[in-house]
Amino acid sequence: GVSQFVVSDSQRVVIHPRGGNIKVGRNRSISFDGRIDVGKFIMFVTDADFSYETYGFELPKVDSLFFYVPMFDRPDSEHMVMTPLYGLVGSLQVDRPDNHSGLTNNKQYPIFSSRENSYVFYDKQAIREGRYVRDRFYYTLHPFTINGLVKFVTDSLQFNGVLTSGGIFPDITYPLSVQRDYYLGFRVETPAGGYPAYGGKGEYNGNISLDHYGLQAKGGLD
């Protein structure tokens, strides 16, 4: 019967247990499945553990992570990033272990740390009618840390990793960032000599971009 409860009002951390079920253990530890709202981030988790002593969460399975960012032209408003993150393993530190009351304003908290590779997919129907199927076209995110989940600048978010493009190009190693259309993507120039295209059937030189239009190229294809 637990619909939700607040872990920290100053850091905007709220738990919504799946099915209204939580398990309370020794020293106020809590185990649950469900949703964690933290600052501008929303995490759907399984087998999550909250430790009152360390004032943090262990998150062995973050099924998906959604988040909002300040809008580019209106920083006082927010817009959801349209490409969620999937398959994360990590931890969430709410605040310093000696600041349960939130009386000290520690702006670097909450801190989310991803310890293993995770993924971004582009198989939404809105992107080229869902042609980028996720088992062939995906971006692999390397482990990362985000500080200050309550307040941050949109341009400061950057995720390192590799794009696997289903054989269109070789794997492209370039950071993802929030594009002007609020999708995660990038804009990059091919290196000297260009990229082999479609398994070596051609060679491409020029600009490559990734956003809600999908993977786009503006250059020369031989």
Side-chain angles (χ1 to χ4, degrees):
V2 181
S3 60
Q4 68 177 51
F5 61 94
V6 178
V7 173
S8 170
D9 51 6
S10 58
Q11 299 292 17
R12 292 167 49 188
V13 180
V14 183
I15 295 175
H16 304 262
R18 186 178 304 145
N21 296 316
I22 64 171
K23 182 179 180 180
V24 181
R26 186 183 298 276
N27 196 20
R28 292 157 289 183
S29 63
I30 300 173
S31 302
F32 65 98
D33 302 335
R35 190 179 98 198
I36 303 173
D37 295 348
V38 48
K40 295 180 172 64
F41 290 71
I42 301 170
M43 305 175 189
F44 292 90
V45 301
T46 301
D47 296 328
D49 289 308
F50 170 72
S51 167
Y52 183 82
E53 186 176 357
T54 64
Y55 210 29
F57 295 83
E58 276 300 315
L59 305 172
K61 188 177 181 182
V62 181
D63 305 293
S64 56
L65 186 156
F66 297 78
F67 60 99
Y68 290 81
V69 294
M71 297 181 69
F72 290 105
D73 52 351
R74 288 185 293 159
D76 56 333
S77 300
E78 297 177 355
H79 196 294
M80 176 177 275
V81 174
M82 305 305 291
T83 34
L85 281 52
Y86 292 94
L88 301 102
V89 176
S91 61
L92 172 66
Q93 188 65 36
V94 177
D95 207 319
R96 288 169 51 97
D98 60 356
N99 193 42
H100 292 93
S101 63
L103 293 179
T104 303
N105 184 14
N106 298 312
K107 294 182 179 179
Q108 71 270 33
Y109 292 94
I111 300 172
F112 176 74
S113 298
S114 166
R115 294 195 295 265
E116 298 181 11
N117 286 344
S118 50
Y119 301 92
V120 175
F121 301 110
Y122 295 85
D123 56 348
K124 281 187 173 182
Q125 191 66 21
I127 305 175
R128 300 298 178 194
E129 299 178 348
R131 288 186 172 89
Y132 296 122
V133 293
R134 62 175 59 189
D135 60 338
R136 299 190 67 234
F137 191 104
Y138 54 90
Y139 190 96
T140 303
L141 297 163
H142 297 328
F144 62 88
T145 297
I146 304 176
N147 297 331
L149 301 184
V150 176
K151 292 184 178 180
F152 59 87
V153 179
T154 302
D155 290 336
S156 68
L157 276 182
Q158 199 170 79
F159 302 95
N160 292 320
V162 180
L163 176 71
T164 300
S165 60
I168 300 172
F169 295 121
D171 286 354
I172 298 174
T173 301
Y174 198 81
L176 279 187
S177 59
V178 181
Q179 303 300 296
R180 303 296 294 190
D181 57 10
Y182 299 100
Y183 280 69
L184 288 173
F186 57 68
R187 276 161 175 69
V188 64
E189 185 86 16
T190 57
Y195 281 140
Y198 295 99
K201 295 182 176 67
E203 184 179 279
Y204 173 75
N205 284 275
N207 294 316
I208 299 173
S209 63
L210 179 65
D211 53 26
H212 85 281
Y213 290 109
L215 191 66
Q216 298 183 93
K218 186 176 182 181
L221 179 65
D222 295 328

